[in-house]
């Protein structure tokens, strides 16, 4: 129990560490001598991003974006806009978008279109969690940490009402007195 919530551990601290290390090394080996631009999607990505870049023994450029969605997030009509856009030059550069979780895929598909419009050399996707149950857009993930079918995930950056981001593991929130309908998106 954490306060009034019960959180079931889905992926432990050590398993995360090993997987993040593997992804960091894979990216470093794939991008040898190319200095990728890593763009993290705030806020949820902050821990994954910080751990990932420290596993990459190579020159990298980093930046962040933050997006806001208006209207129902779980329908394709939901509008997404930037509250912080990319600031470093990406034209002609190899870009890797780094996400904590891909759920419906709407955020990422918006981001990929936006970033491609700036004519980078290439765009690849790195995501800690590929969550499948609500996917609407087909997304190809180049570097994936963990695939999880369903559940409301928290911890290691992921929140519920801004809580639980600092948990060192990935857990699923089990509802006690609250209804499932009040917690339907990450
Ligand atoms: C999460 C996550 C992704 C997005 C994925 O962000 O970081 O950006 O949702 O969902 P989608 O695939 O359904 O578009 P969130 O809006 O929860 O903000 P946060 O990162 O600040 O927690």
């Amino acid at each position: 129990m954490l306060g009034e919530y019960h959180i079931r551990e889905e992926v432990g601290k050590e398993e995360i560490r090993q997987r993040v290390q593997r992804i960091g090394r894979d990216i470093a080996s794939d991008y040898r001598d190319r200095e990728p631009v890593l763009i993290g999607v705030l806020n949820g990505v902050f821990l994954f991003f910080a751990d990932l870049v420290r596993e990459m023994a190579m020159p990298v450029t980093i930046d962040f974006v933050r997006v806001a969605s208006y209207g129902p997030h779980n329908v394709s009509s939901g509008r997404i806009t930037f509250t912080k856009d990319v600031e470093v030059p990406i034209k002609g550069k190899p870009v890797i978008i780094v996400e904590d979780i891909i759920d419906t895929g709407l955020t990422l598909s918006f981001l990929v279109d936006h970033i491609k419009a700036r004519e980078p050399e290439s765009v690849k996707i790195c995501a800690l969690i590929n969550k499948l149950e609500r996917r609407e857009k087909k997304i190809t993930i180049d570097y994936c940490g963990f695939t999880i079918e369903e559940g409301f995930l928290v911890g290691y950056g992921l929140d519920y009402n801004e809580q639980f981001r600092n948990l060192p593991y990935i857990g699923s929130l089990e509802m006690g007195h609250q209804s499932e309908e009040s917690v339907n998106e990450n």
Side-chain angles (χ1 to χ4, degrees):
M1 290 288 286
L2 231 93
E4 60 191 300
Y5 300 102
H6 183 258
I7 298 182
R8 190 180 62 225
E9 184 170 307
E10 300 284 350
V11 188
K13 193 175 162 181
E14 179 57 20
E15 196 179 346
I16 294 172
R17 192 193 64 76
Q18 287 178 18
R19 189 74 195 112
V20 174
Q21 184 177 71
R22 178 76 262 158
I23 295 171
R25 289 178 182 178
D26 286 349
I27 294 176
S29 139
D30 292 351
Y31 284 79
R32 252 188 327 267
D33 308 321
R34 286 171 67 213
E35 191 160 345
V37 181
L38 269 65
I39 299 176
V41 186
L42 294 170
N43 289 343
V45 83
F46 78 109
L47 287 180
F48 175 47
F49 196 92
D51 287 343
L52 181 70
V53 292
R54 281 180 288 183
E55 296 294 348
M56 299 169 58
M58 64 184 298
V60 292
T61 299
I62 69 163
D63 199 356
F64 296 93
V65 292
R66 175 110 173 99
V67 296
S69 49
Y70 299 97
H73 186 58
N74 57 350
V75 296
S76 310
S77 60
R79 265 195 325 120
I80 300 175
T81 58
F82 283 95
T83 53
K84 185 214 170 300
D85 202 342
V86 180
E87 291 171 69
V88 300
I90 58 172
K91 186 168 180 176
K93 304 262 176 71
V95 168
I96 305 173
I97 302 174
V98 185
E99 263 283 23
D100 50 330
I101 186 165
I102 302 175
D103 188 3
T104 62
L106 294 174
T107 305
L108 199 59
S109 94
F110 165 82
L111 277 173
V112 168
D113 289 350
H114 177 85
I115 282 169
K116 280 188 173 163
R118 296 191 183 180
E119 302 176 0
E121 175 209 287
S122 57
V123 180
K124 290 208 170 178
I125 310 298
C126 172
L128 177 69
I129 300 167
N130 180 24
K131 199 180 98 170
L132 301 175
E133 69 176 332
R134 303 199 312 143
R135 185 64 40 86
E136 290 185 31
K137 298 272 186 183
K138 186 170 160 28
I139 303 277
T140 302
I141 305 174
D142 302 283
Y143 303 97
C144 180
F146 305 99
T147 297
I148 296 178
E149 197 63 40
E150 60 186 4
F152 192 92
L153 303 174
V154 295
Y156 197 64
L158 298 164
D159 76 308
Y160 168 56
N161 282 348
E162 298 303 329
Q163 287 187 69
F164 310 122
R165 291 196 196 271
N166 60 326
L167 295 179
Y169 57 89
I170 299 164
S172 58
L173 193 61
E174 293 179 343
M175 294 298 125
H177 61 278
Q178 287 184 294
S179 67
E180 286 283 343
E181 291 82 62
S182 65
V183 182
N184 59 7
E185 52 181 65
N186 268 304

